[in-house]
Amino acid sequence: MEERREFPAFPYEPYSIQLDFMTALYQSLNKGGVSMLESPTGTGKTLSIICSALQWLVDRKQHQKTQTDSSNLSGKQEDQLGGDDEPDWMRNFVIDKDTKSPEKKTKGKKQMGSNKRFDRKGKKEVVRDLITNGGGMEEDTDIEKVNNLPTKHEVEGMDEAEFLVEEYESEDDNGGRQKRKGGGVSVNSSSEEEKDEDGMEDEEEEARPKIYFCSRTHSQLSQFIKELRKTKFADEVNVICLGSRKNFCINQEVLKLGSSTQINERCLELQKSKKKEISKISKTKNIRACGRVGRSKTSSGCSMHRNHKRGKEFRSDVSQQGPLDIEDLVQIGHDLKTCPYYGSRSMVHTADLVVLPYQSLLSKSSRESLGLSLKDSVVVIDEAHNLADSLVSMYNSKITLSQLELVHSHLESYFKRFRNLLGPSNRRYIQIVMVLTRAFLQVLHNENCQSNFDPGCNAEGSRSGFDSSMAINEFLFSHNIDNINLFKLLKYIEESNIIHKVCGYGHKVALSKEVSALKNDDQSSHDESALSGFQALVNILLSLTNKDGDGRIIISRTKPKCSMQQGGYLKYVMLTGEKIFSEILNQAHAVILAGGTLQPIEETKERLFPWLPPDQLHFFSCGHIIPSENILPIVVPQGPSDHSFDFSYSTRSSSVMIQELGLLVSNLVNVIPEGMVLFFSSFDYEGQVYDAWKESGIIGRIMKKKRIFREPRKSTDVEIVLKEYKETIDAVSGSSSKRDPVSRNGAILLAIVGGKVSEGINFSDGMGRCIVMVGLPYPSPADIELMERIKYIEGFDTSIGKNTKFQAERSWYSGDAQGGLHILKSCKHRGKQYYENLCMKAVNQSIGRAIRHINDYAAILLVDTRYTFDPSERSSSHSTNKLPQWIKNRLVSATKNYGELHRLLHQFFKFHKGKEDNQ
């Protein structure tokens, strides 16, 4: 297709940088592959994405239609002339994609939802026996034959009959056949979603290619829909918005369960009970004689998901109303009394634009269950600076000591009661789960610690008190559970419904024995904690089926300092997202990573596509819409007393450094109007600085000019603090009639890099006239997960028994800061670069909070001598080279003394005050 420089759908006269961004995006889509596009916050990025990407989609479809028409015409002419000069693959290239029969399309869709998450290693893998001799489980010497077991009918008089697991036989137990009575609920509700058959009966031809737009939160997706409505494409493309069950559900009985886990489980249980009822009806009728069996009006299932006619009305209403966000779709579902979750899913196949959260697109199992095909389509991922973290976190799993204790207690109680009523397979599988929970508990209780394997143990076998990590195989071997076939065990847990049977019985026992005086609300909380504990166990077991080198098991035996803190835990940490992300890259025509601040791009590239040659990654960064005089970024290497600022890990806590920073801030409040934000590297360091300032009287000096606010640790309190901070500034700027004499010159906010304030908060205008970055906020070297990722990126060999180097590397790190620093010093290039890139990525996110629109202005102070550089000799690896282009181009490399800094700030704010007075 031809290049484009005009985008008529843009509802306003675009700025030049917006036109550049749209052109770059259009070219990237033409080219295909991976592109990273950066447009600073406040430059109309979302609207630019919409107008460029959808224009490309319209042009592409028109181009394909023209090619198809031309091919058809050429084919007819050749048939008439008998010519056969063009190869078949050339003539059929476009046609084949569009002439696929509807029957095959429908069949393909149904097959997509059938994959199970725990089968991700493939069915070709030869699995071992479920458990071999010496597996750490007591052999059951009193197992009856299945035929001699009491049936459920025979124990009907028991109060607990409903909790008895149905007879289960695995493939190996029954000569290659699988036999199971009764249905189960999926153990992974987020990924094992059932296909909505109601929406497939009158399926229209699928729209291709598509654009998939995803972002982190539902609110960001709603904002995207609002921007889309401003353009002509609102009437020209088919749009559908997807979301979670918790956001879509309108069944009050299900919704009142509260947690996402319970809502998902209950929804799937209702769908399966509906299918089970339909199956029973089918068996009682002669299908050959009667034809198709109709659905019973009294069939079980969700009341909001029974009526096919209402489902069709939902799709019709949504199609007629144009782009709708989740709230709109939920309202239509309420009005029609039909499920908006399944209703929206049924419209994916005909949509041109699918708007959805990260999780639904990045998870393979979620894509398959939703029927999302990325072939020949475009994936646009907004807010992509956190993409790598979001991707790997989906595959992380964690179970706490308290959860393990609860699960093991429930299993023991259940097995003791039903042992003699269970079939051999059920009995064996339940015992294996108990073996695993017991082994995990021993790990966290430090029982039978094996110093040869456990890096947290010293030569005497005692714990050092720090966290430790192990590879998957190392973990399995060291705790004697390597001979358990986890694939078959997970399949059993899914199909047997054992989780709900055990949780239900455990809850009944707790009530009948009055173990705790629980009220109704507390009872549901008890059920939820048990269910979430079992789900956490399943997720850990699932993680242990991953490839050995893809992740690490974190073992934390740290004792809680107070009742509010959690105790020990096991956690699986995925180290790399490149294999997961490659599935998306291999299928899609183009993948666009967009964001306000993507620098340094090396961090994202290293974690998601390190194998990609530099010439195949298209990066575009547009400038800011603000004029150059609206921003004043300055490196501040020393304070008013001429002491150099060095906030590195070893020197930042010195009294000299903290007091010099206090002197700087108490001087800055005299020259900076309205709001001022100081970013610290951590809550602990901010607390240390604040306490020292308070003791020395610096807090009192600052308070004479500006009221001080501190970012709270609890995220629920952030909004309250920001509201008071804004009100204080509004009072000074004259937008409020209330004036506070204490805050006559504004306010100052002490914030944390990586906290709630540093991402997504709007510090426009007076809320952020000056952003102060204290030091270079390198991540803590005591972060065990980070250190494991750095070791992986650097290429350190951490497999068992390689050589003495492995033992030396193991001794580097046991969860403490010094061990982490040892690892960093041993890194040659990639690991160290990754660590530095993480730091500058955090800096960019924080300082990007200030400028939000074309008339905004602010000063940015980088307080640390390590930011200093010689403009003529600055190397490409210098930290300031990783700043956004629009900041880097205007950066003042350093000031000679505080007097020069004060003069620059005074002139800057005086100039803008004069502009405001003249307007």
Side-chain angles (χ1 to χ4, degrees), residues 204-314:
E204 303 172 33
E205 185 177 355
E206 179 160 359
R208 278 195 178 175
K210 298 182 192 296
I211 291 179
Y212 294 93
F213 177 90
C214 61
S215 194
R216 286 183 298 164
T217 65
H218 287 103
S219 61
Q220 289 169 336
L221 298 179
S222 295
Q223 183 60 37
F224 178 87
I225 293 294
K226 291 177 182 177
E227 294 293 302
L228 176 60
R229 290 170 184 161
K230 298 177 181 178
T231 72
K232 68 172 186 177
F233 292 123
D235 301 320
E236 295 181 2
V237 298
N238 296 324
V239 184
I240 193 62
C241 190
L242 302 179
S244 65
R245 282 183 171 88
K246 186 172 184 179
N247 286 93
F248 268 117
C249 183
I250 59 173
N251 185 329
Q252 295 304 313
E253 291 298 313
V254 176
L255 199 57
K256 72 180 182 181
L257 295 174
S259 74
S260 296
T261 299
Q262 286 193 308
I263 289 173
N264 290 341
E265 294 286 355
R266 182 56 180 154
C267 176
L268 290 171
E269 187 177 18
L270 289 172
Q271 305 319 310
K272 289 194 174 184
S273 65
K274 178 178 69 175
K275 292 182 179 181
K276 193 174 178 182
E277 181 69 23
I278 294 170
S279 177
K280 289 180 181 178
I281 296 172
S282 299
K283 290 178 181 178
T284 60
K285 302 209 176 191
N286 188 332
I287 299 178
R288 292 181 180 177
C290 302
R292 182 179 177 186
V293 178
R295 288 185 177 172
S296 169
K297 292 182 180 179
T298 60
S299 65
S300 58
C302 178
S303 60
M304 298 298 169
H305 191 44
R306 290 178 184 165
N307 194 309
H308 176 54
K309 182 179 178 181
R310 289 177 183 171
K312 292 182 69 174
E313 290 177 4
F314 177 88

Side-chain angles (χ1 to χ4, degrees), residues 346 386 506 614 617 658 736:
S346 69
N386 279 329
L617 174 62
I658 292 175
S736 173

Side-chain angles (χ1 to χ4, degrees), residues 54 57 206-207 209-215 221 224-225 228 237-243 344-345 347-357 360-361 370-374 377-380:
L54 292 181
L57 182 68
E206 179 160 359
K210 298 182 192 296
I211 291 179
Y212 294 93
F213 177 90
C214 61
S215 194
L221 298 179
F224 178 87
I225 293 294
L228 176 60
V237 298
N238 296 324
V239 184
I240 193 62
C241 190
L242 302 179
S344 60
R345 281 176 47 164
M347 299 182 68
V348 167
H349 64 290
T350 57
D352 300 302
L353 173 63
V354 181
V355 182
L356 70 170
S360 300
L361 184 122
L370 291 170
L372 306 182
S373 173
L374 304 185
S377 293
V378 170
V379 175
V380 179

Side-chain angles (χ1 to χ4, degrees), residues 437-713:
T437 56
R438 192 179 300 120
F440 294 163
L441 284 169
Q442 288 175 352
V443 173
L444 297 182
H445 283 307
N446 196 30
E447 298 176 18
N448 300 323
C449 178
Q450 302 179 33
S451 58
N452 290 333
F453 287 101
D454 191 339
C457 298
N458 58 26
E460 288 75 33
S462 62
R463 261 302 280 168
S464 63
F466 295 115
D467 296 343
S468 59
S469 70
M470 307 176 82
I472 292 176
N473 289 345
E474 182 185 0
F475 177 80
L476 295 174
F477 279 111
S478 65
H479 299 102
N480 201 26
I481 52 177
D482 59 296
N483 48 12
I484 295 177
N485 189 312
L486 296 175
F487 292 97
K488 292 183 67 177
L489 180 61
L490 286 163
K491 187 173 184 180
Y492 167 76
I493 293 173
E494 180 203 12
E495 295 186 346
S496 67
N497 203 22
I498 185 65
I499 288 179
H500 293 276
K501 297 290 186 180
V502 173
C503 286
Y505 178 72
H507 176 54
K508 181 168 183 176
V509 169
L511 290 179
S512 62
K513 292 184 178 181
E514 297 181 351
V515 173
S516 55
L518 299 174
K519 297 182 179 179
N520 289 335
D521 291 342
D522 296 325
Q523 292 169 10
S524 62
S525 176
H526 180 273
D527 283 349
E528 181 180 344
S529 61
L531 183 62
S532 63
F534 272 99
Q535 186 66 56
L537 175 64
V538 168
N539 289 338
I540 281 287
L541 297 179
L542 188 60
S543 296
L544 293 175
T545 65
N546 280 311
K547 185 178 177 181
D548 186 54
D550 287 349
R552 300 283 287 183
I553 301 294
I554 307 297
I555 304 168
S556 176
R557 301 186 185 95
T558 306
K559 300 296 182 182
K561 296 178 181 179
C562 63
S563 59
M564 297 296 292
Q565 294 179 335
Q566 66 175 18
Y569 61 83
L570 293 176
K571 183 175 183 179
Y572 173 80
V573 179
M574 181 70 79
L575 297 179
T576 173
E578 60 185 87
K579 296 176 184 177
I580 306 167
F581 199 65
S582 65
E583 296 175 353
I584 297 174
L585 297 182
N586 292 338
Q587 295 177 45
H589 164 73
V591 176
I592 306 296
L593 308 185
T597 304
L598 297 180
Q599 292 282 12
I601 63 172
E602 292 81 12
E603 186 265 340
T604 301
K605 182 179 183 298
E606 184 67 54
R607 295 179 66 183
L608 296 181
F609 33 85
W611 42 266
L612 192 70
D615 60 342
Q616 293 186 25
L617 174 62
H618 177 219
F619 177 72
F620 172 82
S621 179
C622 69
H624 213 297
I625 56 176
I626 60 168
S628 59
E629 64 267 18
N630 280 28
I631 182 174
L632 180 63
I634 306 175
V635 173
V636 184
Q638 70 273 324
S641 301
D642 291 332
H643 285 291
S644 292
F645 285 124
D646 181 6
F647 292 97
S648 56
Y649 188 78
S650 58
T651 60
R652 67 181 185 181
S653 297
S654 70
S655 58
V656 173
M657 201 64 55
I658 292 175
Q659 290 305 308
E660 190 72 8
L661 178 64
L663 290 176
L664 173 67
V665 174
S666 56
N667 278 278
L668 290 177
V669 295
N670 292 309
V671 66
I672 294 172
E674 302 177 288
M676 178 177 168
V677 184
L678 262 74
F679 280 105
F680 293 89
S681 57
S682 67
F683 278 106
D684 289 341
Y685 186 58
E686 184 271 343
Q688 182 182 354
V689 170
Y690 184 87
D691 291 343
W693 285 357
K694 188 174 182 179
E695 185 177 348
S696 64
I698 290 177
I699 289 293
R701 290 173 57 184
I702 296 173
M703 287 285 284
K704 291 179 180 179
K705 290 294 184 180
K706 292 185 184 293
R707 184 178 173 187
I708 296 178
F709 294 86
R710 303 173 68 188
E711 179 175 349
R713 288 179 180 265

